[in-house]
Each structure stands twice: as structure tokens, then as C-alpha cells.
Amino acid sequence: MRCRLISDNTDTLIGMRLAGVEGVIVHTREETLSALSQEMHTQGVAVVLITEKLAALCAAEVQELKMNMPQPLLVVIPDRHGTSNMTAAISRYLAETVGIRI
């Protein structure tokens, strides 16, 4: 099972490649949706990572995939320019998917 990255930032892609994670660089909403569709339906991919900036470009589609596709796991990650508070993001994700408020 593989892990793939969809990023808008070359530095993030290079860093993930050092950990053995391959990926693609995209910049527009259309490119992001195309890459998401391809990666989410590729046999053998267990985890798809997407940077928070790209996830924000197509938030409704990302949420739909997270809620309705059992595999692969879709994870929004901050890149070096990321601004999200990870604790708040995890709490929000739990509240949306499981109904647990922390």
C-alpha cells in the first residue's frame, strides 16, 4: 500500500519524497480535482495527503470524499506556509465525522 501527496508547494513534495512519498504539484482547482480523482481511484494507494491550501480550493469535494470513501484515507496536511491549528482541525474532524466534541 502506497501513500501519495497532492501539493501546491515544491518544498513539501521534496520533503515527502525524502520519506518515500511520491506526489504531484498542482495549482488550480481543476488540477486539484483531477489529481484527487486519479489518486483516490488508483489501486494500491492507502493514504492520499493533500495540502491545506489545495483542500481549501475544493473544500466540498474533499469533505465528500472523506465522508463517503472508505479507502484510501484522505488527510489534509499543513505545508510550510500552513496556518491551521492542528488540535482544532483534529477536534473539528472528530466532531464532523463521529459526533464527538472535545
Side-chain angles (χ1 to χ4, degrees), residues 47-62:
V47 179
V48 176
L49 306 171
I50 184 169
T51 56
E52 62 186 10
K53 182 178 175 184
L54 293 177
L57 284 177
C58 47
E61 291 84 352
V62 167

Side-chain angles (χ1 to χ4, degrees), residues 3-30:
C3 185
R4 298 281 297 170
L5 172 69
I6 302 171
S7 177
D8 61 313
N9 186 299
T10 305
D11 294 335
T12 302
L13 180 61
I14 290 170
M16 294 302 281
R17 280 187 179 163
L18 291 172
V21 177
E22 291 296 323
V24 295
I25 300 287
V26 296
H27 297 288
T28 66
R29 175 180 164 77
E30 292 76 26

